[in-house]
Amino acid sequence: MDAAEFRKRGKEMVDYIADYLEKIDKRQVFPDVEPGYLRPLIPDCAPQDPENFEDVFKDIEKIIMPGVTHWHSPYFFAYFPAASSFPALLADMLCGGIGCVGFSWAASPACTELETVVLDWLGKMINLPEEFLAGKDGRGGGVIQGSASEATLMSLLAARTKTIRRVQSEKPELTEAEIMGRLVAYASDQAHSSVERAALIGGVKIKNVPSDEKFTVCGSTLKKVLEEDKAAGLIPFFFCATLGTTPCCSFDKLLELGPICNKENIWMHIDAAYAGSAFICPEFRHLLNGVEFADSFNFNPHKWLLVNFDCSAMWVKKRSDLTGAFKLEPLYLQHHHQESGLVTDYRHWQIPLGRRFRSLKLWFVLRMYGVTGLQEHIRKHVELSHQFEHLVLQDERFEICAEVILGLVCFRLKGSNELNKALFKSINEAKKIHLVPCYLREKFVLRFAICSRTVESTHIKFAWQHMSQLATDLLKTWEPNQQQQ
Ligand SMILES: *Cc1c(COP(=O)(O)O)cnc(C)c1O
């Protein structure tokens, strides 16, 4: 393919994507395929000779689309949203076009500097304390990670190194291995599985801190766990607070937890993967109060801020905690400058060496929506979730299982887990909408997350009517069964 053909095909592809997104509501949100569907549809080996674009293009509808779950359908209510917008799609094209690998400032100055500046923009939008910003010569700053999981892992590893160095200076008789064996990380029993995974990868123990009846971790619970562990000779070093837990969007009490972590020399990381985007709205910003106690903070514009995957924004108060933890400087990567402010070698802030020019899509979205456009998007989703909540509350057969704060509603039929599993099964078998369940304590619960950029009130009403009809059908056959027992 030469540049002339690329021009032509590029325009066709843009049309195809625009058609796909414009008419996505006509497609069944969840595919009909079975595992292994794809292999028989394509050859066993790559073609020996080149094929033409038309043949490749035809296979999109034939082979790919039948197996796609349409995350941007207005009937998609599963997981949390995956952000998408036209400005971000265009920026991703440009990112591919420039195709740089910006591991250091010199590897592409614009790639590094734009990232630092737009993360300062974004930090100011959510009113992060000054210490987290890079400014002209700040000690803090932001970085785009591929995912919240990577941000948690990076902060846990940095905390591990920092703690080992501190304990070694206080107790030189302890070896690194002995210290490692005593380190303990903590997170809520509602925390995302990526936190436990970070501890497994980091080779340290992790303990659940029990959440209360609102699925929230409070200071007194953490304190109690810490006292027990310290008395047993363990070394608490890392606490991951969650703002907007994945099962039910609950919020840990930062204002109680932060001072405890600070006093105990425990690194506090905040995982606000989903909820963080809402903090651009003044009415939700209070949920972030206490961030001033944290060492690192992370949220995913690729979840709820209209920036396509992958774009996970992470800030640290002291960049040297990250860069000092794992710095290697082979000659082929060296050049001469002092690291501060805009001059950053982002390879020291992340696991991989290579990195894409991801700040472009964040920059495009922030400029083309503006803060007000993005606030509108968040507010619309929160309104729709409350609309759904009201529909559920009007039906006596159902109950709401956790406070609705942002765009997620946890609900269930009053009754057994078996009943709710049967309802869930009928919803996902009908494939008119798509959602996923979760457990809250021992209860099997349905999670209804407002996801699509284009979802409207009519889709919410449709989803509710559909589910309530399925519930009616189910209960007709269910009650006699129950009575027989
Ligand atoms: C979605 C989610 C994650 C995982 O996000 P990735 O960017 O896919 O790693 C982590 N924590 C919470 C609370 C989440 O909701």
Side-chain angles (χ1 to χ4, degrees), residues 80 146-150 192 194 242 244-246 271 273-274 300 302-303 309 312:
F80 274 137
S147 64
S149 316
E150 286 169 65
H192 193 265
S194 54
T242 310
T245 58
T246 316
D271 173 6
Y274 163 70
N300 286 348
H302 71 227
K303 272 190 171 153
F309 192 84
S312 183

Side-chain angles (χ1 to χ4, degrees), residues 163-206:
T163 308
I164 290 172
R165 285 179 189 158
R166 177 175 55 79
V167 175
Q168 272 184 327
S169 72
E170 290 164 3
K171 297 181 183 154
E173 70 279 10
L174 288 180
T175 65
E176 186 172 329
E178 282 167 336
I179 299 169
M180 277 278 285
R182 295 190 198 179
L183 294 179
V184 196
Y186 302 86
S188 165
D189 55 19
Q190 302 297 308
H192 193 265
S193 58
S194 54
V195 184
E196 184 175 353
R197 193 134 181 279
L200 288 174
I201 296 170
V204 293
K205 291 187 222 5
I206 180 152

Side-chain angles (χ1 to χ4, degrees), residues 266 298 335 371 433:
I266 293 171
N298 170 252
H335 53 92
V371 177
I433 63 171

Side-chain angles (χ1 to χ4, degrees), residues 301-320:
H302 71 227
K303 272 190 171 153
W304 204 11
L305 214 58
L306 298 175
V307 182
N308 289 60
F309 192 84
D310 54 340
C311 179
S312 183
M314 176 191 192
W315 291 266
V316 287
K317 258 190 202 153
K318 278 174 72 185
R319 58 174 66 194
S320 58

Side-chain angles (χ1 to χ4, degrees), residues 105 109 112-114 116-117 120 134-137 319 340-344:
W105 181 86
T112 294
E113 294 200 17
L114 185 67
T116 309
V117 173
D120 273 3
K136 282 198 183 61
D137 50 11
R319 58 174 66 194
S340 83
L342 287 174
V343 183
T344 298

